[in-house]
Amino acid sequence: MVIGLFGFGTVGKGVFDILAQRADMRVKYVLDLRPLPEVTTAKVTRDLEEILSDPEVDTVIELIGGMNPAYQFVKKSLLAGKNVITANKLLLSTHYGELVGLAKEKGVSLRFSAAAGGGIPWLVNLSRAARVSRIASVSGIMNGTTNYVLDSMDVLGKDFDEALGEAQRLGFAEADPSSDIDGLDTRHKTALSANVAFGVAVEDEAVDAFGIRFVKKLDTEYWKEKGYVLKLIGKACRVGEKGEAVAAYVEPTLIPKDTPEGNIHGCDNIISFEGSHIGKTHFIGAGAGRYPTGYAVVQDCVDVAAGLGGLYHESLVPTPLSNCKAAHAYYLRTDFTSDPFFVRLEKTPAGEGWRTTAVSVSEMHDFARRALAHGKEVFFAGFPEF
Ligand code: HSE
């Protein structure tokens, strides 16, 4: 395999190091805007066309991240007939149908194992499970930063700002951690997981996402006493009478302490699927980091070299989400008590807020968006079945 590697940041360097130990794979080019004097075994270039026009290069690895220029680079690579391996969850979850369609049309592989779960062999096993079984749901803690923050609040009794500041000082959280704490990172991973599990192409932005920005110590303390741990969970499941529709959402979730999800600490992730034949299966491990993520990318290289295709189904059905058909109880703390939805909610007092009876995911997320648009305070957490 002869490779063009796009991007030489944290993960790019990890992939480069791992590939350097293999005789069957050669990085011929590294595409980066910076001069990279430490790269002596590959040509460093800024010229995408130089790589794409080289017939010796059969595979490109995109680790630039973000939407642009990664989107154009990946599209051009597929059009040029190169296999593409990427860890780019934003790109894939936003342009899934188009890029998978293009890979199929050109007869090349598009693999993205590292885009959800980092080093955990999640998407690859999910796609294998979906070949044989009907997947009913995927769910889990897919973001290490938020798990670190919530774990510090739960175990050490820290408040949100203190826990986040510490995560930033230790280098776990980004300088701008919005995408993590507002649930967008988990949203991309949930959308991708739904696509692989159900053979659909859900629209990333249609996945309801409410993060942990507004959580307070009083929320975690109150529920800890009652045997619950707060976690940010991404979930996608089949809904409707015959499971004909799909719901997908990201929300803070109150989880009984005696569950696998309730015992994930630090930056670790846990992701699970539930399928016919196999039941519920959990995957736990490092969801981020140079070498765990680099490892997953190189696994994709090995699979491409072995002639495996993508992680997707033969069919790819654009699917509008039906979050109105998924419902469970919620903990809700808000001062937006004049809103008609709040007034008609069946609820009992719980801590500084209320515990509701089952309401639909879309109604609760809509309410939170309305509250925030009115400058009101709102925090909620779901109580799904475990
Ligand atoms: N920011 C992500 C996390 C990195 O905290 O899990 C891995 O996608």
Side-chain angles (χ1 to χ4, degrees):
M1 174 178 279
V2 179
I3 296 166
L5 174 61
F6 302 171
F8 204 74
T10 303
V11 180
K13 170 83 168 62
V15 168
F16 189 80
D17 290 349
I18 299 171
L19 287 173
Q21 296 159 16
R22 298 186 66 96
D24 58 341
M25 290 171 188
R26 176 163 69 97
V27 177
K28 184 169 181 183
Y29 299 94
V30 174
L31 182 82
D32 203 284
L33 295 180
R34 302 161 294 180
L36 300 170
E38 70 270 39
V39 176
T40 54
T41 54
K43 179 169 185 196
V44 179
T45 178
R46 296 171 167 218
D47 182 5
L48 177 72
E49 295 309 325
E50 183 183 3
I51 301 173
L52 298 188
S53 63
D54 183 339
E56 211 192 354
V57 173
D58 50 88
T59 301
V60 303
I61 302 176
E62 184 278 307
L63 298 170
I64 304 167
M67 191 57 84
N68 290 307
Y71 173 52
Q72 290 305 329
F73 285 8
V74 163
K75 224 168 128 171
K76 283 184 180 170
S77 301
L78 292 169
L79 285 167
K82 311 291 184 192
N83 301 305
V84 172
I85 295 164
T86 176
N88 193 328
K89 60 215 154 199
L90 171 68
L91 170 65
L92 255 296
S93 63
T94 309
H95 293 290
Y96 190 80
E98 183 196 5
L99 296 177
V100 168
L102 206 50
K104 285 181 178 177
E105 190 189 312
K106 301 302 286 187
V108 294
S109 289
L110 170 63
R111 291 184 77 89
F112 43 89
S113 298
I120 304 171
W122 161 243
L123 289 176
V124 72
N125 280 300
L126 180 62
S127 76
R128 283 172 60 82
R131 295 186 307 196
V132 174
S133 297
R134 180 174 162 87
I135 305 297
S137 69
V138 294
S139 65
I141 299 167
M142 308 183 194
N143 181 270
T145 303
T146 49
N147 199 59
Y148 182 88
V149 169
L150 294 173
D151 194 39
S152 295
M153 293 179 75
D154 177 54
V155 177
L156 304 172
K158 300 204 168 176
D159 213 333
F160 175 77
D161 290 336
E162 193 189 353
L164 180 61
E166 191 183 78
Q168 285 174 307
R169 269 196 305 285
L170 293 172
F172 297 145
E174 310 281 340
D176 177 5
S178 310
S179 166
D180 293 317
I181 64 173
D182 291 330
L184 305 184
D185 179 78
T186 303
R187 187 179 83 188
H188 307 321
K189 293 166 179 171
T190 303
L192 266 183
S193 300
N195 291 342
V196 172
F198 308 134
V200 296
V202 304
E203 210 183 302
D204 177 67
E205 288 190 358
V207 176
D208 283 316
F210 187 78
I212 62 165
R213 185 180 289 275
F214 305 112
V215 66
K216 291 185 176 168
K217 189 172 158 176
L218 56 89
D219 302 311
T220 49
E221 273 183 346
Y222 176 81
W223 288 105
K224 185 177 181 175
E225 278 205 358
K226 307 219 166 313
Y228 289 93
V229 192
L230 187 72
K231 299 289 188 188
L232 184 67
I233 297 284
K235 176 160 184 169
C237 51
R238 296 188 191 271
V239 289
E241 256 170 51
K242 292 183 185 145
E244 67 287 355
V246 171
Y249 51 93
V250 178
E251 61 189 24
T253 302
L254 284 158
I255 294 178
K257 181 70 192 157
D258 60 355
T259 54
E261 288 83 354
N263 286 281
I264 300 300
H265 300 289
C267 286
D268 272 358
N269 288 190
I270 179 169
I271 327 181
S272 315
F273 64 74
E274 192 157 8
S276 58
H277 316 299
I278 187 166
K280 192 160 186 181
T281 305
H282 302 285
F283 297 80
I284 299 172
R290 168 171 287 175
Y291 290 112
T293 309
Y295 155 90
V297 170
V298 175
Q299 285 285 10
D300 276 346
C301 294
V302 176
D303 283 339
V304 169
L308 295 185
L311 296 166
Y312 27 83
H313 292 231
E314 276 310 306
S315 73
L316 193 63
V317 187
T319 304
L321 290 177
S322 298
N323 284 356
C324 53
K325 293 183 180 159
H328 47 252
Y330 280 95
Y331 164 63
L332 173 62
R333 178 173 53 70
T334 184
D335 58 1
F336 194 33
T337 52
S338 58
D339 186 79
F341 168 78
F342 180 87
V343 173
R344 65 164 201 277
L345 261 183
E346 282 180 38
K347 54 193 175 297
T348 49
E352 301 284 314
W354 295 266
R355 182 177 174 141
T356 74
T357 55
V359 292
S360 77
V361 167
S362 50
E363 277 182 303
M364 184 53 81
H365 284 253
D366 283 348
F367 170 75
R369 282 189 284 266
R370 272 197 312 280
L372 293 174
H374 282 81
K376 298 290 188 182
E377 203 171 308
V378 63
F379 177 73
F380 70 80
F383 286 99
E385 273 179 29
F386 266 90

